[in-house]
Amino acid sequence: MTSEPSPDTATSFGILRRLVREHGQEHASAYIGAAVLLMLAAGATAWSAYLLKPVVNGMVAGTDFKQLRALAWLVAGLFTARGIVTFLSVLILARTGNRIVANVQRRLFDHLAGQDMQFFHENRSSDFMTRLSFAAASVRATLQSLIMGFSRDFLTLVGLVVVMFLHDPLLAGMSLLALPVGGFVLSQLIGRIRKSARRTYDGTGSIMQILQETVLGSRIVKSFNLEDHMRRRMHVAVREVEKASNRVAASVAMSGPVSDALAGIAIGAVIFYGSWRISIGGADPGSFFSFIAALLLAYDPAKRLARLKLDIQNGVTGAQLIYGILDRPALEDSRDALPGLQLEGGKVSFEKVTFRYRPDEKVLDAISFVAEPNQTTALVGPSGGGKSTIISLLQRFYVPESGLITLDRQDINAVNLRSLRQQIAFVSQDVFLFDGTIRENIGFGREGASDDDIIEAARKAYAHDFICRFSQGYDTNVGESGAQLSGGQKQRIAIARAILKNAPIILLDEPTAALDSESERIVQQALDALRQGRTTIVVAHRLQTIIKADRIYVIDHGGVVQSGNHTELVAQEGTYQTYFSGQFGQNNPA
């Protein structure tokens, strides 16, 4: 999602440093508290191992039972205390981690909302969902692994190694010889973890994309008998994720037998050498048993530390996906500091505007036209001529390559984006309704609108009657993307939403193209009500919807090839007359 990684995310160490700086410092008190508790647990473990020396020697020498009983209570108390502080530390880490995940998800979504349309067109929605749901959790896992790895495992290991050296420095040195060998073997697994973890995230995104397409495109899937095709796509994606997950699991699991083999060799050597020292060299058994206990207790933290880098690498991969979005500038948010749009009449002007979606594809070529206030301006022409692009540029979904777009002589690229869009109401052919009630979907037109305002807007959009026929009326749920409503019903709700917004500029992009004749007639009446007293720009292929427009511009190959009202254009030989004749017949009167 970003072409070049920032210096802070180019390496695993850079990502770790950034995670600590952005999240570790914010939750420093919680992490310090958890670390202190884990240190106490580490100390209790080391002390328990050290106490085995007087216990065993006391048993062998027949020491007073009261002293052994005190030692027994002390060991029991240490293990109980370790359990309590471990529980508290895990609870603190869990709550802190959940807070971090929530903050990352909020921050990620807020940043996504500030991206421009180009960004959303270049990336799949399933990628966003993967990052928001799965990759965000990796931030928590990475920080938690660091805290527990150092405060619990590393300090426990250090404490137990100290106990081992206090009892027998030579034997302790022999035991630690296995560590460099294990470290070398485990380091070879890091590269495999990194590649496989990234494939897992990518594959999960593919699974979510296929699921989304199957659900949202269910009518097409069933109409064209594509169920088997979608099943095959899903099975391939699932299999790829399974393979990648298996490779990650195999790499992580491989650390187990390596650690076990090296630990077994070290413990066997210690037992052999220690038993010789006790039976022949006369060493005291308490030191040996305490040493063995410390060595055995050191096995688990040493094993976890050996896997720590593998676990962190898995988490770093997810964090990299998060920063891939966060490091991309939110272009729309950066313009909020600009002055607000001061609208007077609502005159729209395009002055030699050129625009391309791709370097080799010029969509608009120095186009110029004017949409006057309180008039309807229609844009007609062949598909791909640039009509819908004009609508998008006016809402500043994109920025033109050259030229100027003004509203009442104000450059729209030099005004606050929210103030610009606040003055525009948009109704498209592809109506989008949010999963919620009819009341909520109309209410999105103006925040804080009353029920009376919503009902009045629905009346003007000729939607009130059909809404009231539903058993739950305005509280009827429209379903995902309005799936519970017909095309005409969705379109009228969208018009009601635009009416409620009460914006002085109306943009209509093929609002009746997908409707039957009866629905089109009703929707056209609603649109007539919407256009009253406003600057209206309408894109249409069906000329009957724009015959009454005050001004018609014929757009072809990114430029204006004809302009005038219907009567003027139909009397001229040219593109408009050809369209009109094709739709209404040669002998149809103008």
Side-chain angles (χ1 to χ4, degrees), residues 109-367:
F109 185 83
D110 291 345
H111 198 72
L112 280 173
Q115 297 293 339
D116 57 5
M117 291 298 296
Q118 189 70 33
F119 175 78
F120 290 106
H121 287 170
E122 291 174 352
N123 298 283
R124 299 181 304 180
S125 59
S126 56
D127 291 334
F128 303 139
M129 290 187 285
T130 302
R131 284 160 171 77
L132 197 64
S133 56
F134 296 105
S138 64
V139 176
R140 169 186 59 193
T142 303
L143 290 172
Q144 190 162 309
S145 295
L146 285 173
I147 294 297
M148 298 191 74
F150 175 78
S151 302
R152 181 191 64 183
D153 298 327
F154 178 72
L155 293 181
T156 298
L157 183 61
V158 168
L160 292 171
V161 169
V162 169
V163 171
M164 291 162 60
F165 271 98
L166 287 175
H167 291 318
D168 196 322
L170 178 61
L171 204 55
M174 293 172 55
S175 303
L176 297 179
L177 287 176
L179 292 180
V181 179
F184 172 78
V185 173
L186 294 173
S187 66
Q188 304 303 307
L189 302 175
I190 297 297
R192 296 176 60 181
I193 289 285
R194 183 185 296 113
K195 294 177 182 177
S196 298
R198 183 56 190 259
R199 290 195 186 102
T200 300
Y201 281 112
D202 292 343
T204 302
S206 297
I207 289 174
M208 298 183 73
Q209 179 192 12
I210 296 167
L211 178 62
Q212 185 181 39
E213 290 176 348
T214 303
V215 174
L216 297 181
S218 57
R219 290 187 177 183
I220 300 300
V221 170
K222 293 187 177 299
S223 177
F224 286 86
N225 292 321
L226 296 176
E227 291 92 341
D228 290 340
H229 172 72
M230 300 306 290
R231 288 190 185 102
R232 286 193 295 270
R233 286 183 60 192
M234 178 61 79
H235 292 172
V236 169
V238 169
R239 186 164 58 250
E240 289 301 315
V241 172
E242 181 184 12
K243 289 180 180 178
S245 300
N246 286 340
R247 283 192 286 268
V248 172
S251 298
V252 173
M254 196 176 296
S255 64
V258 171
S259 302
D260 290 342
L262 293 174
I265 293 171
I267 293 172
V270 166
I271 292 175
F272 177 82
Y273 176 72
S275 59
W276 176 84
R277 288 198 60 192
I278 292 174
S279 59
I280 299 177
D284 67 281
S287 295
F288 174 68
F289 276 101
S290 181
F291 184 96
I292 287 292
L295 182 60
L296 293 175
L297 289 173
Y299 172 68
D300 280 338
K303 187 176 181 179
R304 287 192 294 266
L305 283 174
R307 291 179 49 179
L308 179 62
K309 196 171 182 180
L310 302 178
D311 295 335
I312 288 178
Q313 186 57 57
N314 201 6
V316 161
T317 302
Q320 228 167 1
L321 298 177
I322 296 293
Y323 287 126
I325 294 179
L326 294 179
D327 289 341
R328 188 186 194 276
L331 298 179
E332 292 195 345
D333 284 348
S334 65
R335 299 171 182 171
D336 281 346
L338 295 172
L341 176 67
Q342 303 298 321
L343 208 62
E344 299 171 1
K347 180 178 180 180
V348 177
S349 177
F350 274 61
E351 302 174 20
K352 296 182 178 180
V353 173
T354 298
F355 177 77
R356 312 168 192 260
Y357 289 107
R358 288 172 286 276
D360 58 345
E361 181 185 357
K362 186 181 288 187
V363 180
L364 297 179
D365 188 7
I367 190 172

